[in-house]
Amino acid sequence: MNKTTNLRMLAGAACLALTMTVTAQVHHPRGFKNMARSMNAEWYASPEAIAVADSAMRYQYPCGGWAKNHDWHVLENDTKMAERAGMLAQIARGESLGATIDNGATTSEMLLIAKVYGACKEARTLKKKQLANLKNAFLRALAYLVEMQYDNGGWPQFYPLKPANSEGHPFYSDHITLNDDAMVNVMKVLRDIYKNKQPYDALELSQAQRQTAEVAFFKGVQCILDCQIKKNGVLTVWCQQHDEHTLQPAPARAYELASFTGSHETATILNLFMGLSHPSDSVVQSVTAAVEWLKAHALRDVKLENFTNAEGRPDRRLVHAFGHNLWARYYDLETEEPYVCDRDGVPQPSLEYIGYERRNGYGWYGDQPQAIIDRFPEWLNRVRPGQNQ
């Protein structure tokens, strides 16, 4: 792992509260991640926003990261209350097991804190010391993202890494995690930090801090390039996870087998690459190869339909839809055929062959690659004029 002593010294120790009452709840219909991303600009300077940031900071682990799947502004039920109490006890002991970048954790908190800092600084709704507390929380999180990055440029799902199981085997969360955009979400934050984009520009980070983010970002780019699966010497796409040592495709949960991924993670990676200002030849080659693979593996004239089944329950199935293309989440590494999978870990050719729970509880198909394919010719002509002939 990378060492980030200087960043941690700049970040300081645990944050102090922004408000007099850190346990105050904000009753808001939106979830925390939605609040971090999409409230109007004025809201982030409001007492409500300050209380939300205050609550999130209270649960920041000593390592600088956060746990996942929490709406920090509310205590939804007794289970969550008990879980939060356990977190506070863990934090008091200086422990951080549970900090993660999965499901938008840590990056969402950083976004909200940066927005609240910028809005409150402009509106002068917080004192200098309170603004400093916000900035310290952000810097601790930035240090966390840098420290958890592997030397090969990848990010695990959790850091600190989970202890090995009873049989001595590491958890799948140790793998380089592209699944659900975990690594790409981190890289987007790092990119916007080193480019000094909103809302991170308001933090007035030092040149050294922004350069640290830039180095980590481009290490991530190289890792993704190194992970791209080659078959018979030809670049294809990616798996949801890659082994943190060999960079080979790796499995995760029982139904998440090592595979080519088509519909989601690959499209997100390509969006990231196609947004680079000056893509290298390696990046252009990577995008071109992945687009060709996606073109060849589209499920043509089909769409995913929600319907009511014979038992009166909401269900999903694939139906014919002329002119509409889908891509499977998974394609077999040997046959390159699409498949779905239940919790028994047995690949099946289509949704009707797996149980109701997994059929309706996972994103098996998507059309995200279509937008990539549609914009590819213009992108290639822009970054390599005359190559797309």
Side-chain angles (χ1 to χ4, degrees):
M1 296 290 178
N2 293 325
K3 304 301 181 184
T4 53
T5 305
N6 290 337
L7 269 175
R8 289 203 178 282
M9 288 176 64
L10 286 167
C15 294
L16 301 174
L18 302 179
T19 62
M20 293 297 293
T21 309
V22 297
T23 55
Q25 295 186 53
V26 176
H27 297 284
H28 199 284
R30 298 194 183 190
F32 178 83
K33 287 190 287 187
N34 199 326
M35 295 172 82
R37 294 170 186 161
S38 58
M39 303 296 286
N40 64 62
E42 293 76 17
W43 181 83
Y44 293 100
S46 69
E48 185 178 49
I50 294 168
V52 173
D54 187 40
S55 181
M57 289 165 60
R58 188 179 186 218
Y59 294 99
Q60 187 177 21
Y61 281 114
C63 68
W66 278 269
K68 66 177 179 178
N69 301 336
H70 285 273
D71 288 326
W72 299 120
H73 53 296
V74 294
L75 293 172
E76 297 107 321
N77 51 49
D78 290 344
T79 300
K80 286 291 186 185
M81 289 178 70
E83 195 174 338
R84 300 277 179 85
M87 281 183 199
L88 292 177
Q90 189 182 4
I91 291 168
R93 295 192 300 268
E95 300 171 359
S96 296
L97 193 63
T100 182
I101 57 171
D102 192 28
N103 292 356
T106 301
T107 53
S108 295
E109 284 81 3
M110 292 176 74
L111 179 62
L112 180 116
I113 286 171
K115 287 185 175 181
V116 171
Y117 179 93
C120 290
K121 181 180 177 183
E122 183 176 356
R124 299 185 178 182
T125 49
L126 285 178
K127 296 178 180 179
K128 286 184 178 181
K129 185 175 181 179
Q130 293 171 314
L131 288 172
N133 292 338
L134 279 167
K135 186 171 181 176
N136 283 340
F138 183 90
L139 287 174
R140 291 175 61 213
L142 175 58
Y144 170 73
L145 297 184
V146 174
E147 182 172 317
M148 75 183 294
Q149 187 178 29
Y150 288 127
D151 289 341
N152 59 26
W155 275 270
Q157 191 180 78
F158 283 81
Y159 184 76
L161 301 177
K162 291 185 175 182
N165 63 19
S166 58
E167 298 177 350
H169 299 304
F171 280 88
Y172 69 81
S173 56
D174 290 3
H175 293 322
I176 294 166
T177 305
L178 301 171
N179 194 0
D180 291 335
D181 306 332
M183 181 166 161
V184 170
N185 285 341
V186 170
M187 292 176 65
K188 286 179 178 177
V189 171
L190 294 173
R191 176 199 63 196
D192 291 349
I193 288 172
Y194 89 75
K195 289 193 170 186
N196 210 29
K197 289 188 173 182
Q198 292 183 336
Y200 308 111
D201 58 336
L203 291 157
E204 297 182 308
L205 300 182
S206 70
Q207 187 66 25
Q209 290 162 343
R210 289 169 53 201
Q211 284 177 344
T212 297
E214 182 176 17
V215 169
F217 174 83
F218 281 104
K219 282 181 66 176
V221 169
Q222 187 58 53
C223 179
I224 293 174
L225 291 173
D226 293 340
C227 286
Q228 192 168 9
I229 303 167
K230 274 190 177 180
K231 186 163 187 187
N232 299 323
V234 178
L235 288 171
T236 60
V237 289
W238 291 266
C239 185
Q240 286 182 321
Q241 298 81 213
H242 288 259
D243 184 274
E244 65 273 25
H245 304 293
T246 68
L247 307 187
Q248 293 302 303
R253 290 171 287 192
Y255 51 89
E256 293 174 324
L257 309 181
S259 62
F260 299 106
T261 182
S263 65
H264 188 93
E265 287 79 9
T266 286
T268 304
I269 289 168
L270 294 178
N271 264 320
L272 180 74
F273 279 3
M274 292 169 77
L276 293 175
S277 302
H278 303 286
S280 66
D281 289 344
S282 295
V283 167
V284 173
Q285 181 185 20
S286 170
V287 172
T288 302
V291 166
E292 289 304 311
W293 192 94
L294 290 170
K295 287 179 181 178
H297 292 80
L299 310 179
R300 303 195 179 280
D301 299 327
V302 66
K303 70 176 182 178
L304 191 63
E305 179 183 74
N306 296 316
F307 74 104
T308 302
N309 64 23
E311 299 175 350
R313 303 169 76 188
D315 212 335
R316 296 193 293 181
R317 63 189 174 192
L318 292 181
V319 297
H320 182 266
F322 182 77
H324 189 271
N325 297 333
L326 283 180
W327 283 261
R329 191 77 171 265
Y330 299 131
Y331 293 79
D332 186 270
L333 286 173
E334 294 299 323
T335 67
E336 302 190 35
E337 291 296 320
Y339 70 89
V340 295
C341 195
D342 216 325
R343 293 185 184 273
D344 58 6
V346 178
Q348 299 292 350
S350 57
L351 288 173
E352 63 266 29
Y353 292 99
I354 63 174
Y356 179 88
E357 184 268 335
R358 278 298 81 192
R359 185 167 65 246
N360 290 278
Y362 199 69
W364 297 109
Y365 302 95
D367 60 3
Q368 300 95 329
Q370 189 62 61
I372 299 289
I373 291 170
D374 290 344
R375 59 185 271 238
F376 173 75
E378 181 276 330
W379 173 81
L380 185 59
N381 187 59
R382 176 171 54 82
V383 298
R384 295 294 186 275
Q387 187 170 316
N388 191 33
Q389 300 295 331

